Structure formats: structure tokens, C-alpha cells
């Protein structure tokens, strides 16, 4: 692997200009696949890498049928013959620019689990060649790129970062299911290990995106920017969840309060309460910083408090379900038939990771409620080693047979009128139902 020669980056910049650079995307999930598609569309030969053979098979199958992503149809993978997906990491030796988009979860001790990133970095290091650019896109704590990625690449390959290869961090900000903002039009942040790494990374993203590419002085700043954005969401959701709990006690409609507050043209940004937070990012990312802060003997109080409130929301939802059943029908949770609408963690997507619906189902089952669910995006799932299968569709008869319908996810493709007209009582945790009726309760 040792090349020993210093490269100035001009060759790679020329390759970007002529679209002759070969791009590798490691990890083909919610982040990596849309990015790979955008790179292909921009005219680059692209190689997608994943460790899951099954994921590769699924991608190969769906692309034959014009893969739909975020409302966009992607055609022409096969005709152009410029997109290949593989589990063979030896193909990295042909790649000029590689983006790492693998998971960054927490381990069982709620500490950062960088094992997926480390495995990807090892695969790259074993195939590193002179003039290659490596971009980490996975969300992580400040310092990962400089402290871990750089040193591992140098140690394994024997090559020198900044002299023989280039390295940058550029966080992914995609919001799956968002119809307005997608991989192409969300501004990109770039922080390279040095000026040349920043410059090449910026030129590369400018060649595939329509959005602004904003550069910062280091990977640490870019890493912190991404974490701060997600903490901002996490903390504000916790605040509005606390407001919702208090408003209910005070018999004030939180949704009306938010609509009114939204009229202020400055200094206020609406966030909405719900049955809890989910997904791979908002519940987990803040704890990457909490962990790192310990190294600096600092306790991140806001993050901990927000986590506490947000984690309580599924329990609060179940408490409210119990109170509604008791008030309306003098019934307890024990034996109550409850239909949950939506198990995805947010509307119009099929992602169940960390979904509050899972906690709600678990807690209701502990109380011996009889739970069924309907989610047009998730026909079945496994949770705590149990298989759950959803209803194929919801009918008036099915709804009438339930003691309560709980709207946990406000998917667009749900017939809410059918629910309102037939349910004994609906507990709407998302404010999707706008009409006021006696059988509708709100969070
Ligand atoms: N999902 C989001 O909305 C979102 C948004 C912004 C940022 N992010 C961040 O992006 C990163 C990826 O998240 P995601 O939601 O796309 O995850 P994902 O689970 O949907 O996809 C990750 C993919 O990486 C593959 N993978 C795991 N280890 C690998 C390895 N060593 N080599 C190759 N492939 C490997 C998995 O098989 C999977 O297909 C995370 O750091 C996440 O925090 C996610």
C-alpha cells in the first residue's frame, strides 16, 4: 500500500470535472442509497457497498422495477450500467471518492457504537490508494474523523493523510419522507482534515447537488454542527411534550397554543408533541455528545433532561389511554381492545427503529390489553423476539369492534373519516383529526 509520494489533489479535481472519478458509497440504507442514486444521476460510475447480501438483493430487485425514493422515480440504472452494488470490498481499490454511510447506534450501555464505522474504515484502509478521498457522513461525536478515522487509515495503510490521501467529514441531513427537502436540495456542510480535503470535498458535492455546500474549518466543527442540529430538535420536542402534559392538566389545548404562537414572525419555531420520539437519529445522536463530554468532565444537563421527558411519552400515552377508557366506559386496560394506527416512528415512512409505538404496545400488553395495529408501510415486524402482523386493511366493522383507536403515527394514506365515524373513541396523539367530536380525545 505504501506509495510515499505526495499528491496535490488536482488529478482528483480533474476527474470530478470530467465525471471520470469512480464513487463508492459504503452502507446502502436510508442515507446511502438516496446518496448513491444522486451520484449516479450526476453521471458518475458508482459502486455501492453493503455487508448485507440481502440488502444488495433487494436493491437489485427494486431497481429493475424503477425504484421509487422520496417521491422520485429512479430509472436507468441498468441501461447506463454505471451503478453496481456489491459486498466485495476489494472493489474499493478502483474507487476515487468513498462516502461512509453506515449506522452509528448506541451500545447496551448507551455509549457510541462505532464498530460499523471502524469496519468500513478497515476495508478502505486495506484498499487505500494514492489520491483517494474518504468522506465520513455517519453522524458521530466531534473528534471521530481526526482521532479515529484518520489514525486507523494511516496505521493500517502506512499512508499519510493530507499528503497521500484526503479526508473529510460531511454530515448527512436527509429527512426520510420529507416531500420538500431531499438529498439534492439540503445544504451540505463540509469540514476537511486540511484545506485541500475541504476543497475537493466541496467540489465533489457541488457536482452532485443543487444546494449550497458550506465549508467549516475542521471535521470537528462539522461533526458538532450535525449533533447540535439534532439536539436542538430533541430538546425542543421535549419542551413541547412537557407543555402538552401540563396543558392537558390545565384543560388548555396545546395544539391551539402552538398555532397561536406560530403567528409570531421571529423568535419562535413550532415543534409538535407526540407519543415519543423515534428513528435512528433524534433519540440517539445527543448521547454521542453526552459520552464525549465526559472526557471534558462536563455533564450535558439539557440532553439528559430532554431524553428523560421524551422517553416518558410512551408511558404517558398509555396513562392517558387508561384514563380515557376509565372515564368513558368505566373500563380498565386489562382486556380492552385497542387498535393502534401507525407503528412507524413518523408519518409516511417504513422505519420502525426506536418507534414509540413499540413501547406503547409493550406497555399495553403488560396490562393485558388486546392490541392490534394497522400501518400501510409496515405489514409485520419483530420486537423483543415476538412477531407482530398488522391488519391488511381497516374496515368499519373492525373499528367498531374496538374499545379504542389510538393514532400513534399520522400517515397520509389512512382513512381518518372511517375511523371518526366508527370508533367508540379515538385518542389522537398527532392532531391529525381537526374536527371536534365527543368521541375524539387529543394528546
Ligand atoms: N436515517 C436518517 O434519517 C438519517 C439522517 C441523517 C443521518 N443519518 C445517519 O446516517 C448513518 C446511516 O444511517 P441509516 O439510517 O442510513 O442507516 P441504515 O441502517 O438505514 O443503513 C445502513 C446500511 O449500512 C450497512 N452496513 C452496516 N455496516 C456496514 C459495513 N461495515 N459496511 C458496509 N455496509 C454496512 C447496513 O447493512 C445498512 O444497509 C447513521 O450515522 C445515521 O445517524 C441517518
Amino acid at each position: 500500500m505504501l506509495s510515499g509520494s505526495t499528491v496535490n489533489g488536482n488529478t482528483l479535481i480533474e476527474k470530478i470535472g470530467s465525471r471520470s472519478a469512480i464513487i463508492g458509497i459504503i452502507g446502502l440504507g436510508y442515507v446511502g442509497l438516496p446518496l448513491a442514486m444522486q451520484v449516479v444521476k450526476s453521471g458518475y460510475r458508482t459502486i455501492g457497498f453493503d455487508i448485507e447480501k440481502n440488502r444488495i438483493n433487494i436493491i437489485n430487485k427494486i431497481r429493475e422495477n424503477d425504484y421509487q425514493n422520496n417521491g422520485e422515480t429512479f430509472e436507468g440504472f441498468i441501461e447506463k450500467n454505471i451503478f453496481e452494488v456489491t459486498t466485495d470490498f476489494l472493489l474499493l481499490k478502483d474507487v476515487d471518492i468513498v462516502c461512509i454511510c453506515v449506522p452509528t447506534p448506541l451500545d447496551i450501555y448507551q455509549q457510541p457504537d462505532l464498530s460499523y464505522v471502524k469496519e468500513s474504515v478497515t476495508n478502505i484502509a486495506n484498499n487505500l490508494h494514492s489520491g483517494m478521498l474518504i468522506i465520513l457522513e455517519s453522524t458521530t461525536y466531534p473528534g471521530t474523523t481526526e482521532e479515529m478515522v484518520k489514525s486507523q487509515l494511516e496505521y493500517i495503510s502506512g499512508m499519510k493523510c493530507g499528503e497521500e490521501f484526503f479526508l473529510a467529514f460531511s454530515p448527512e441531513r436527509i429527512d426520510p419522507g420529507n416531500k420538500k427537502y431531499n438529498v439534492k436540495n439540503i445544504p451540505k456542510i463540509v469540514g476537511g482534515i486540511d484545506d485541500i480535503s475541504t476543497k475537493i470535498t466541496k467540489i465533489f458535492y457541488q457536482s452532485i447537488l443543487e444546494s449550497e455546500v458550506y465549508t467549516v474549518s475542521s471535521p470537528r466543527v462539522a461533526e458538532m454542527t450535525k449533533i447540535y442540529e439534532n439536539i436542538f430538535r430533541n430538546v425542543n420536542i421535549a419542551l413541547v411534550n412537557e407543555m402538552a402534559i401540563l396543558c392537558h392538566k390545565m384543560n388548555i389545548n396545546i395544539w391551539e397554543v402552538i398555532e397561536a404562537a406560530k403567528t409570531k414572525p421571529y423568535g419562535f419555531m413550532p415543534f409538535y408533541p407526540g407519543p415519543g420520539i423515534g428513528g435512528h437519529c433524534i433519540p440517539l445522536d445527543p448521547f454521542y455528545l453526552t459520552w464525549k463530554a465526559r472526557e471534558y468532565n462536563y455533564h450535558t444537563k439539557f440532553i439528559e433532561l430532554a431524553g428523560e421527558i421524551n422517553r416518558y411519552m410512551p408511558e404517558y400515552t398509555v396513562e392517558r389511554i387508561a384514563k380515557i377508557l376509565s372515564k368513558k366506559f368505566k373500563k380498565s386496560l386489562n382486556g380492552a381492545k385497542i387498535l393502534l394506527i401507525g407503528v412507524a416512528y413518523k408519518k409516511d415512512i417504513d422505519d420502525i427503529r426506536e418507534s414509540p409505538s413499540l413501547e406503547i404496545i409493550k406497555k399495553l400488553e403488560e396490562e393485558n390489553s388486546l392490541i392490534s395495529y394497522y400501518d400501510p408501510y409496515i405489514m409485520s415486524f419483530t420486537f423483543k423476539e415476538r412477531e407482530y402482523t398488522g391488519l391488511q386493511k381497516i374496515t368499519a366493522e373492525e373499528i367498531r369492534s374496538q374499545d379504542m383507536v389510538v393514532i400513534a403515527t399520522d400517515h397520509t394514506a389512512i382513512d381518518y373519516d372511517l375511523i371518526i365515524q366508527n370508533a367508540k373513541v379515538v385518542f389522537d396523539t398527532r392532531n391529525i383529526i381537526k374536527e371536534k367530536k365527543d368521541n375524539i380525545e387529543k394528546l
Side-chain angles (χ1 to χ4, degrees), residues 27 29-31 50 52 102 104 116 138-139 172 174 176 280-281 353:
Y30 286 95
V31 163
D50 206 289
E52 291 285 340
V102 296
T104 43
Y116 303 94
S138 300
T139 309
E172 182 51 66
I174 199 166
H280 181 40
C281 300
R353 291 177 293 181

Side-chain angles (χ1 to χ4, degrees), residues 121-141:
V121 171
T122 302
N123 280 325
I124 295 168
N126 286 330
N127 295 282
L128 197 63
H129 50 81
S130 177
M132 196 173 181
L133 167 65
I134 297 100
I135 308 168
L136 179 61
E137 287 219 2
S138 300
T139 309
T140 183
Y141 58 79

Side-chain angles (χ1 to χ4, degrees), residues 14-65:
E14 277 163 27
K15 280 183 161 186
I16 293 170
S18 63
R19 297 291 186 277
S20 60
I22 300 175
I23 315 300
I25 308 290
I26 301 187
L28 299 170
Y30 286 95
V31 163
L33 187 57
L35 177 66
M37 286 163 56
Q38 189 54 32
V39 173
V40 173
K41 276 186 195 174
S42 308
Y44 290 100
R45 197 184 143 212
T46 308
I47 308 177
F49 298 87
D50 206 289
I51 43 167
E52 291 285 340
K53 188 89 195 127
N54 193 32
R55 184 80 191 132
I56 299 294
N57 292 341
I58 291 169
I59 294 170
N60 274 327
K61 205 175 259 175
I62 50 185
R63 70 182 187 167
E64 279 164 25
N65 304 320

